[in-house]
Amino acid sequence: MSSSKKKRLFLIDGAALAYRTYFAFARNPLVNSRGENVSVIFGVSRILLNLLEQEKPDYFAVVFDSPEPTFRHQLYEEYKAQRKEMPEDMSEQLPRVEQLFKALDIDLIRKPGFEADDIMGTLAKQAARQGMTTVLVTGDKDLMQLVDDSTVIYQPHRAGEQVEWLDAKGVEQKMGVKPEQIVDYLALCGDASDNIPGVPGIGPVGALSLLQQFGSLQKIIEQVDAISSKKYRNALTNHPDLAMLSQKLATIHCDVPLETEIERLAARSIPDDRAAAFFREVEIPSLVDRFTNRSEIKTDYHLLQTEDQFKAFMRELESVDAFAFDTETTDVDPMRAELVGLSFSWQPGTAYYIPLKGPQDMASQSTVLNAKMVLNSLRPLLANAGIAKYGHNAKYDMIVMSKHGIEMDGVGGDTMVASYLINPSSHQHNLDAVSLEHLNLKKIPTAQLLSSGKSQRTMDQVPVEQVAEYACEDADFTWRLAQILTKKITDLNLDKLYEEVELPLIHVLKRMEENGVALDERYLAGMSRELEVELAQIEKKITTIAGMRFNINSPKQLGSVLFETLKLPTARRTKTGFSTDVAVLEELAKQHELPRQILEYRQLAKLKST
């Protein structure tokens, strides 16, 4: 689709997109430090930004319904009447979503008395007359009726899934009818989401078979006596008025009087400063980062490469009573990591990096210091409980240093832990995110040093000069954050929790990680064998009750046994068949033994696999 040479107009179904992202985060919403749910803002932003970046549309707009009644409400008072009220925490986000469009300089279109579908249909026809292709970004099947040679549908999916492009052939494969038959399909079977009644007694299967036989609603009604199914024939004989009403309700009108001209919807560059300010206000660090350039801050960073430089550094370090400390290593697992270097900072903008390991190739002219000499010199300071050390995920650095014979003491603060206490609902507490949020400073990305894929390398393979800037920045930003976050901890009356629970717990967790957990392998193996015997017994019971052998772990086969063979009451369906999840089985277990045995089997099987 993206290779088309025709100019393309992308129209976003705003309400559908907002609902989709709201429910995607419903179980685990994103909440900022003010308790504001920002899930919809985040989800909508990601989809819009990805579309703009990947598809590079020529014209771009978001379309929303207007709250006023439309002509459809005049035709049918019950139109959309059954819709549940929008969740409160979703409706609260919509004003912010409109602010988002302004921040990204994206056009928002709505017109009183008209639905988004009608506006999108009108613009799509205008675009076709101008030789453009329209891409409707929606998951709403109603809009499939607009698909033709000039209009396609783009259906966003969950993260990790491929998006779906639907042209006329794609609509027919997905729905079983052609785009021009979608209205008649909805007229026959109705649409629960919009409360379009359809014809009582005719569902999706019946609607498909009738349209495949007769082609259109008009021909079905004209030839009603030729319908072989008595049920469908009687339904249409008794309710032709509902079929025609439903057809009118489902038809998208493409003649909305719009003041907006397509040329005014030309896609524009996003104003970085405005976008960054908005995402900073709603506290979404990853999106702040996307629109923030690295600040040119004045720094005094030092790479120590001679013994004299190190001795001078030690004299300064010995004169302070607190400093930020960070390690650079070869692995994210501290138990496997090799020490590459150490960085220190005790005043904003000033930091020191001590390289202990670097590239071994001849091209590297950098020198590293003797690790034994450096660690022996630092040991008394790092172990001194009277000197406060600040870190970001200090536990990691403590484990690394412990492997080198240095037991660190006197942890004065951990900016990662402090960030979590201040805003536990945030999903990001890494140094990059916390620096962006509290310092408005963008760090050097780790990926910039280590690359990725086949060219990925470890920190000891990166030129020492590059590591030095990165490591000094880590220590510098940690020191700055320590001053800011410590004050915020006090302002929030979290001092006692932070100092008496969280910081001492770092030492406990460190020891647990180092010692590991002892497992009695012989006992567990015996337990596994016992569970095997119990599972075999239950499996035999299940086979006896069902009267046949089947794959108990196959939801499809289990559904067939429960609902087709045993004729138990059907519950909800999934895309692949009958639902056989825990809630369904627990309900069925009240009236039949087989679901009870299945639940017991699943519980033991899960225990065994664990």
Side-chain angles (χ1 to χ4, degrees):
M1 294 293 176
S2 57
S3 60
S4 172
K5 292 182 180 179
K6 291 169 71 175
K7 287 191 174 182
R8 297 188 302 163
L9 164 67
F10 275 66
L11 296 175
I12 317 300
D13 185 348
L17 188 58
Y19 268 103
R20 173 182 285 271
T21 55
Y22 172 79
F23 286 109
F25 288 93
R27 290 188 176 182
N28 193 19
L30 301 177
V31 181
N32 63 22
S33 63
R34 299 186 297 275
E36 183 181 7
N37 188 334
V38 293
S39 304
V40 173
I41 300 160
F42 176 77
V44 169
S45 300
R46 292 294 296 268
I47 291 174
L48 294 181
L49 293 170
N50 288 343
L51 275 171
L52 288 167
E53 186 177 288
Q54 295 170 12
E55 296 301 327
K56 297 181 171 47
D58 302 286
Y59 303 92
F60 197 84
V62 179
V63 187
F64 266 94
D65 291 333
S66 184
E68 295 82 5
T70 69
F71 69 91
R72 293 183 179 87
H73 293 91
Q74 295 169 3
L75 278 173
Y76 184 54
E77 193 175 335
E78 297 301 308
Y79 180 68
K80 293 190 177 181
Q82 90 304 341
R83 280 199 175 178
K84 291 181 180 178
E85 193 171 337
M86 183 182 291
E88 186 178 350
D89 57 342
M90 178 180 171
S91 61
E92 288 173 352
Q93 294 182 69
L94 294 187
R96 284 287 203 189
V97 172
E98 293 201 23
Q99 292 174 18
L100 164 71
F101 301 143
K102 289 180 182 177
L104 300 180
D105 200 12
I106 291 173
D107 290 292
L108 167 62
I109 306 172
R110 64 159 60 96
K111 188 172 178 66
F114 293 93
E115 292 187 45
D117 292 6
D118 301 311
I119 296 170
M120 293 169 79
T122 300
L123 288 170
K125 297 305 177 189
Q126 286 183 17
R129 289 193 290 271
Q130 296 179 37
M132 298 181 193
T133 294
T134 298
V135 179
L136 306 174
V137 180
T138 182
D140 193 342
K141 61 179 176 291
D142 299 6
L143 285 159
M144 291 180 182
Q145 65 188 271
L146 298 174
V147 172
D148 56 23
D149 291 342
S150 300
T151 305
V152 296
I153 282 179
Y154 174 107
Q155 289 190 333
H157 285 293
R158 294 186 183 94
E161 294 182 0
Q162 288 291 320
V163 299
E164 192 172 7
W165 289 91
L166 295 176
D167 55 11
K169 187 176 180 181
V171 169
E172 189 170 1
Q173 289 174 342
K174 190 177 184 72
M175 299 298 295
V177 293
K178 297 175 181 177
E180 57 268 27
Q181 294 176 302
I182 289 289
V183 171
D184 291 350
Y185 170 79
L186 296 173
L188 287 165
C189 66
D191 186 357
S193 64
D194 289 339
N195 207 31
I196 295 175
V199 179
I202 298 180
V205 174
L208 283 176
S209 66
L210 289 169
L211 286 170
Q212 286 165 1
Q213 183 180 354
F214 295 97
S216 70
L217 178 63
Q218 187 64 39
K219 288 182 180 178
I220 293 169
I221 292 175
E222 288 172 357
Q223 302 174 50
V224 69
D225 292 336
I227 298 173
S228 57
S229 167
K230 183 180 178 181
K231 178 184 175 184
Y232 298 157
R233 187 170 62 248
N234 289 342
L236 282 156
T237 301
N238 296 331
H239 302 288
D241 53 334
L242 278 179
M244 300 310 294
L245 171 64
S246 298
Q247 187 186 53
K248 288 178 182 177
L249 294 173
T251 300
I252 292 175
H253 285 225
C254 299
D255 54 359
V256 177
L258 294 174
E259 296 76 27
T260 303
E261 296 178 359
I262 289 177
E263 289 303 321
R264 290 172 56 189
L265 305 179
R268 300 176 289 274
S269 297
I270 295 172
D272 287 358
D273 291 348
R274 199 160 74 195
F278 171 77
F279 291 123
R280 191 173 295 114
E281 183 182 345
V282 295
E283 299 178 16
I284 304 180
S286 62
L287 293 174
V288 176
D289 182 40
R290 188 166 183 159
F291 295 102
T292 304
N293 296 316
R294 270 188 53 76
S295 307
E296 292 300 322
I297 56 172
K298 188 176 180 181
T299 58
D300 185 22
Y301 292 166
H302 304 268
L303 169 59
L304 310 180
Q305 291 188 284
T306 68
E307 195 169 332
D308 287 343
Q309 289 173 338
F310 175 71
K311 287 177 179 178
F313 156 79
M314 284 299 299
R315 286 193 291 272
E316 288 196 56
L317 184 64
E318 287 165 348
S319 69
V320 301
D321 56 9
F323 56 80
F325 170 71
D326 188 49
T327 60
E328 296 306 328
T329 66
T330 58
D331 202 299
V332 293
D333 181 349
M335 297 300 292
R336 291 187 172 90
E338 296 176 27
L339 187 59
V340 175
L342 311 166
S343 56
F344 296 80
S345 177
W346 53 85
Q347 60 188 66
T350 301
Y352 302 83
Y353 178 63
I354 306 167
L356 303 179
K357 197 172 185 182
Q360 300 299 310
D361 57 283
M362 296 299 293
S364 175
Q365 299 301 310
S366 303
T367 56
V368 298
L369 294 178
N370 180 274
K372 187 176 180 180
M373 179 271 295
V374 168
L375 295 176
N376 283 339
S377 301
L378 289 171
R379 181 175 285 102
L381 292 175
L382 293 174
N384 188 339
I387 302 173
K389 293 94 183 170
Y390 294 90
H392 191 89
N393 189 12
K395 172 169 66 70
Y396 178 95
D397 302 310
M398 292 166 68
I399 293 173
V400 170
M401 297 313 295
S402 181
K403 285 171 58 188
H404 288 80
I406 298 177
E407 293 300 329
M408 286 179 60
D409 203 352
V411 176
D414 187 319
T415 50
M416 184 179 78
V417 173
S419 170
Y420 178 79
L421 282 184
I422 292 165
N423 184 11
S425 60
S426 173
H427 287 240
Q428 291 187 306
H429 298 284
N430 58 67
L431 187 56
D432 298 54
V434 179
S435 298
L436 202 56
E437 181 180 356
H438 295 282
L439 302 176
N440 194 24
L441 294 174
K442 185 173 181 178
K443 270 185 59 359
I444 300 168
T446 308
Q448 183 176 310
L449 271 70
L450 304 183
S451 300
S452 59
K454 291 182 179 179
S455 59
Q456 187 167 4
R457 54 188 178 177
T458 51
M459 197 63 79
D460 58 328
Q461 296 168 324
V462 179
V464 169
E465 291 77 12
Q466 291 179 34
V467 179
E469 185 185 5
Y470 173 86
C472 284
E473 192 175 79
D474 279 2
D476 176 19
F477 285 14
T478 298
W479 177 258
R480 296 175 195 236
L481 284 168
Q483 319 312 307
I484 294 170
L485 299 188
T486 301
K487 183 179 183 306
K488 288 192 176 186
I489 289 283
T490 301
D491 293 343
L492 292 168
N493 294 318
L494 295 170
D495 307 64
K496 193 170 183 180
L497 175 62
Y498 184 53
E499 294 166 8
E500 296 182 18
V501 178
E502 295 292 349
L503 294 182
L505 188 59
I506 292 173
H507 295 271
V508 176
L509 294 173
K510 167 188 173 286
R511 288 197 300 275
M512 288 176 65
E513 247 180 84
E514 288 175 328
N515 295 336
V517 177
L519 293 177
D520 188 335
E521 293 183 12
R522 183 178 296 177
Y523 177 79
L524 290 174
M527 182 185 287
S528 180
R529 287 191 296 273
E530 288 175 16
L531 289 171
E532 255 178 51
V533 173
E534 287 187 59
L535 284 168
Q537 292 170 346
I538 295 175
E539 191 171 347
K540 191 174 180 180
K541 280 185 190 177
I542 289 170
T543 302
T544 302
I545 296 168
M548 66 172 73
R549 294 189 67 82
F550 67 97
N551 183 355
I552 299 171
N553 298 308
S554 166
K556 187 174 181 180
Q557 291 185 34
L558 176 58
S560 176
V561 170
L562 291 172
F563 305 115
E564 292 174 358
T565 304
L566 299 178
K567 306 294 183 185
L568 294 179
T570 56
R572 62 186 180 277
R573 294 183 70 101
T574 66
K575 289 181 180 178
T576 55
F578 298 105
S579 173
T580 58
D581 64 16
V582 173
V584 170
L585 292 176
E586 285 177 344
E587 191 62 34
L588 293 174
K590 296 174 184 177
Q591 49 191 300
H592 201 282
E593 178 65 18
L594 182 61
R596 285 197 287 274
Q597 293 297 330
I598 295 291
L599 286 168
E600 178 71 13
Y601 179 89
R602 284 185 178 178
Q603 188 174 7
L604 291 177
K606 186 173 182 181
L607 182 59
K608 184 180 184 302
S609 66
T610 303

